[in-house]
Amino acid sequence: MTNYETVIGLEVHVELKTRSKIFCDSTTEFGGEPNTHVCPVCLGLPGVLPVVNKTVVEYAIRAALALNCQIAGFSKFDRKNYYYPDMPKNYQISQYDLPIAGHGYLDIDVNNEVRRIGITRLHMEEDTGKLVHQGTITTTPYSLVDYNRAGVPLVEIVSGPDLRSPEEARVYMEKLKTIIQYTGVSDCKMEEGSLRCDANISIRPVGNEQFGTKTEIKNLNSFKALYRALSYEVERQTGVLNKGGRIVQETRTWDEREGVTLPLRSKEYAHDYRYFPDPDLVPMIIDPEWVEDIRRSLPELPDARRERYMQEYGLPGYDAGILTSTKELADFFESCVSAYPNPKAVSNWMMGDLSRLLNAGGVELTACKIKPAQLASLLQLMDEGIISGRIAKTVFEEMFASGKDPGDIVKEKGLVQISDKSAIMAVVEDVLAKNPKSAADFRAGKERALGFLVGQVMKTTRGKANPELVDKLLKEKLLQEKL
Amino acid sequence: MVTREDVEHVALLGRLELTEEEKEIYTRQLNDILGHFQALQRLDTGNIQPTAHVLPLKNVYREDWVGQHMPREDALANCPDRDENYFKVPKIV
Ligand SMILES: [Zn+2]
């Protein structure tokens, strides 16, 4: 049987978070009553004139530079013509042969190997309105249209056919999201549609230079959907070729519920857009100095930041990768480390307890009540022996729930660690007296019995006893009595 | 050379319903127009940039601020059919 290689290219749409739309001054705010965020321009009424929002061009350049693209000196907008009521004009303003940027790349890490994925082009365009169907698009008696999103600025980022597996595609998409979020030009919220993805996928016999016939998969609106749909499509195409069949070049849609890709009727997506330069919009000559200004204003990007965390803080690559996976997480980390200069301890708390609580509560880090300085003072309380590591976890949960300072919580709840030797010894003696069997077991060489006895002391002191002291005093007492 | 099939295809893309007679006429007329442009193709345009816009304008931008929206009733005033606050359109596929 032939061995096949998978070839994938992604087209990613990113909504830019400008205040107003790309060609008019209607708001880009998400939601709103249907057809209230509109004006004559984005409704395509006769006689109106679109004018480019300068911030859209700036954001597009910003995203492009972060993806190592070259910025075009000369760029223009074109009309993409099609009949579909998601645009009231019967065309979408996009960029065809002279996009704002291209020839970039981004590096992804897959199985400890760095792969460089080409960014073929990055262009600006307007988003479309939203169609509401009753049931599915094919069974609905009619459709309803809301033009609030029509004219919201987008950049489309097209990768080269450089991805070799569904896993690489997923990692690429995550990396792209991270980089774009760092630049601050988009929220990249897949659930609100501000980050969307279509994929081109084909397979070819290993060693073949020529690409196989590709299919285009639409509706990949989560990382999971992307991975599953592409995995399904690899299987499907391999099955067709192994049975001696041929791949049909077509657009398919991912059916999340059934877990399959299905062909869309070709008439719906006739690729005959008859692009031509939009006569309402004039060309853009991009000033290289403007580009350099934007380049200088870019923050440290994830790859550089990750490298620095390994060099400067001595963190393992795994920690550095997770901590720099969002700008917010990395900023939180650095702020905490500046107050408590033990990077690995901070990293452990952030990747452990903090991320556990955030995930469990479905809370974004930006909405987290714990501030970096508060995590730092919690770690200090532990270092100073005021609370034990075990109590720290309880305090941390309380901080997460209330946003209170750890010092206040410790005082209010009387959680100060008991480090008074005689107080602990009294409990130790009491526990040993009540558990003669465990004491005998330990003396007979069963190390495990000690754990139980430590647990009993901690329970009696409600976790406040200094664990090291408990351990030491228990051993002392047990060995003493053995003699 | 524009064929009758080309005319039918372009008509479909533009959602135009043409009679047999119209298809005949437009095939002939479109060929006449293209014939006229063939004369222009004899010119040497090797050193001329493609025209992106007919006016000598560039870099016309607006600042990113939000203005007045249309009252919704105005937005929906001209639509042939509506369902509450939505534009209502015929089944698409
Ligand atoms: Zn508008």
Side-chain angles (χ1 to χ4, degrees):
Chain A
M1 201 178 287
T2 321
N3 273 328
Y4 292 102
E5 176 181 54
T6 304
V7 177
I8 299 168
L10 296 186
E11 292 169 11
V12 177
H13 286 92
V14 179
E15 260 184 13
L16 302 177
K17 59 174 184 193
T18 53
R19 286 187 282 265
S20 63
K21 292 185 179 179
I22 182 167
F23 300 118
C24 65
D25 61 11
S26 301
T27 182
T28 57
E29 203 178 305
F30 187 77
E33 287 294 302
N35 297 305
T36 53
H37 296 171
V38 293
C39 75
V41 175
C42 55
L43 283 179
L45 299 187
V48 295
L49 192 65
V51 182
V52 183
N53 180 341
K54 192 172 185 185
T55 305
V56 171
V57 183
E58 182 191 321
Y59 281 7
I61 294 173
R62 203 171 161 76
L65 290 175
L67 297 168
N68 309 294
C69 287
Q70 290 165 26
I71 308 302
F74 183 98
S75 187
K76 67 173 169 73
F77 283 100
D78 302 277
R79 291 186 183 178
K80 178 181 178 178
N81 300 280
Y82 65 97
Y83 272 83
Y84 201 69
D86 62 357
M87 276 317 244
K89 306 190 289 288
N90 280 340
Y91 60 84
Q92 178 191 28
I93 303 176
S94 182
Q95 295 198 281
Y96 184 52
D97 55 337
L98 294 169
I100 185 80
H103 309 289
Y105 62 85
L106 73 79
D107 290 333
I108 56 170
D109 245 326
V110 183
N111 301 326
N112 292 321
E113 194 198 333
V114 175
R115 297 251 299 116
R116 178 155 291 185
I117 308 302
I119 305 285
T120 308
R121 58 182 279 154
L122 180 150
H123 72 250
M124 300 175 278
E125 63 185 29
E126 53 181 347
D127 205 351
T128 62
K130 198 176 102 192
L131 295 175
V132 182
H133 312 295
Q134 291 180 329
T136 72
I137 188 167
T138 43
T139 58
T140 189
Y142 54 86
S143 295
L144 304 177
V145 196
D146 172 11
Y147 287 120
N148 283 353
R149 300 313 289 164
V152 169
L154 296 177
V155 286
E156 180 176 332
I157 301 164
V158 182
S159 84
D162 301 339
L163 299 157
R164 291 289 172 271
S165 68
E167 174 64 6
E168 284 192 5
R170 192 184 58 77
V171 173
Y172 166 87
M173 185 74 179
E174 278 177 355
K175 186 69 175 281
L176 185 63
K177 178 182 172 183
T178 300
I179 293 174
I180 298 293
Q181 277 180 327
Y182 264 71
T183 66
V185 305
S186 173
D187 295 330
C188 294
K189 286 186 183 160
M190 280 186 125
E191 64 283 5
E192 284 184 9
S194 65
L195 180 70
R196 311 191 288 261
C197 175
D198 299 334
N200 289 302
I201 177 168
S202 61
I203 60 173
R204 63 182 171 189
V206 172
N208 257 29
E209 285 287 306
Q210 212 187 343
F211 293 129
T213 305
K214 67 179 182 185
T215 55
E216 185 183 0
I217 319 292
K218 292 199 172 276
N219 195 25
L220 303 174
N221 295 331
S222 68
F223 293 112
K224 204 173 125 201
L226 173 70
Y227 181 80
R228 287 181 66 207
L230 291 175
S231 302
Y232 174 87
E233 194 60 16
V234 170
E235 293 267 312
R236 188 189 71 83
Q237 291 190 11
T238 308
V240 170
L241 292 187
N242 280 342
K243 275 188 223 133
R246 282 176 51 194
I247 307 298
V248 180
Q249 179 159 359
E250 62 187 352
T251 303
R252 302 174 71 89
T253 181
W254 169 241
D255 184 328
E256 181 81 49
R257 222 183 40 199
E258 299 294 324
V260 296
T261 66
L262 298 168
L264 282 168
R265 273 192 280 168
S266 58
K267 215 173 121 189
E268 283 166 51
Y269 287 95
H271 288 273
D272 196 344
Y273 295 129
R274 296 149 293 145
Y275 285 96
F276 65 90
D278 193 315
D280 284 344
L281 293 157
V282 303
M284 293 161 281
I285 315 268
I286 308 297
D287 182 354
E289 270 190 42
W290 189 27
V291 175
E292 288 317 305
D293 280 348
I294 297 170
R295 195 192 300 278
R296 276 191 293 274
S297 75
L298 279 175
E300 185 184 26
L301 294 171
D303 282 345
R305 207 165 188 180
R306 175 171 182 263
E307 196 55 38
R308 183 165 65 80
Y309 280 22
M310 293 165 72
Q311 301 299 330
E312 189 179 320
Y313 298 129
L315 289 179
Y318 177 76
D319 291 42
I322 289 183
L323 291 173
T324 55
S325 65
T326 70
K327 188 166 179 293
E328 288 71 29
L329 205 58
D331 288 346
F332 189 104
F333 171 76
E334 281 181 42
S335 172
C336 193
V337 166
S338 71
Y340 182 80
N342 179 343
K344 184 59 186 158
V346 173
S347 166
N348 287 346
W349 274 82
M350 287 183 62
M351 301 202 316
D353 293 80
L354 182 61
S355 81
R356 179 176 56 81
L357 291 175
L358 290 172
N359 286 340
V363 182
E364 298 270 346
L365 184 63
T366 44
C368 177
K369 287 182 182 159
I370 300 178
K371 299 298 158 231
Q374 293 177 313
L375 173 55
S377 38
L378 179 74
L379 295 174
Q380 253 140 19
L381 290 175
M382 276 168 70
D383 280 1
E384 289 161 10
I386 295 169
I387 52 170
S388 65
R390 186 169 149 152
I391 290 294
K393 288 186 186 288
T394 316
V395 174
F396 191 72
E397 282 177 19
E398 174 67 29
M399 288 161 69
F400 187 82
S402 67
K404 282 185 191 164
D405 281 333
D408 293 344
I409 296 170
V410 169
K411 259 181 242 153
E412 274 168 29
K413 306 216 159 177
L415 296 172
V416 176
Q417 178 163 258
I418 305 167
S419 295
D420 173 11
K421 210 169 160 179
S422 58
I424 295 179
M425 189 52 106
V427 182
V428 164
E429 282 169 356
D430 184 49
V431 164
L432 287 178
K434 281 180 186 155
N435 300 280
K437 175 142 184 348
S438 297
D441 283 351
F442 178 79
R443 291 194 191 101
K446 283 190 189 163
E447 285 281 330
R448 265 193 322 178
L450 184 67
F452 172 77
L453 293 167
V454 169
Q456 291 303 303
V457 176
M458 294 309 284
K459 199 172 153 192
T460 313
T461 59
R462 292 191 297 128
K464 291 189 290 181
N466 179 329
E468 282 161 33
L469 212 50
V470 171
D471 203 66
K472 185 164 157 263
L473 293 178
L474 259 174
K475 277 187 189 155
E476 245 175 56
K477 196 77 190 162
L478 285 162
L479 296 172
Q480 210 176 55
E481 286 180 11
K482 195 179 180 183
L483 290 172
Chain B
M1 182 69 188
V2 177
T3 63
R4 192 187 168 87
E5 284 70 44
D6 292 331
V7 171
E8 283 171 351
H9 179 62
V10 172
L12 174 74
L13 292 174
R15 301 297 186 269
L16 296 171
E17 203 175 347
L18 301 183
T19 64
E20 292 306 305
E21 196 186 346
E22 283 169 329
K23 286 178 194 170
E24 197 80 21
I25 296 168
Y26 295 148
T27 306
R28 196 172 64 239
Q29 289 183 340
L30 283 171
N31 273 312
D32 287 348
I33 293 167
L34 285 185
H36 178 71
F37 275 91
Q38 259 161 20
L40 295 177
Q41 277 189 339
R42 287 199 292 273
L43 293 172
D44 178 10
T45 56
N47 291 320
I48 298 172
Q49 289 286 319
T51 302
H53 202 276
V54 293
L55 300 174
L57 288 170
K58 61 179 191 200
N59 299 341
V60 177
Y61 298 119
R62 43 172 287 272
E63 295 302 318
D64 182 26
W65 51 265
V66 175
Q68 284 281 315
H69 291 121
M70 250 173 130
R72 183 168 51 206
E73 285 313 305
D74 287 358
L76 289 160
N78 291 324
C79 70
D81 203 359
R82 64 187 278 185
D83 186 332
E84 294 191 12
N85 299 321
Y86 289 94
F87 292 86
K88 189 171 171 184
V89 298
K91 187 170 154 55
I92 300 154
V93 292

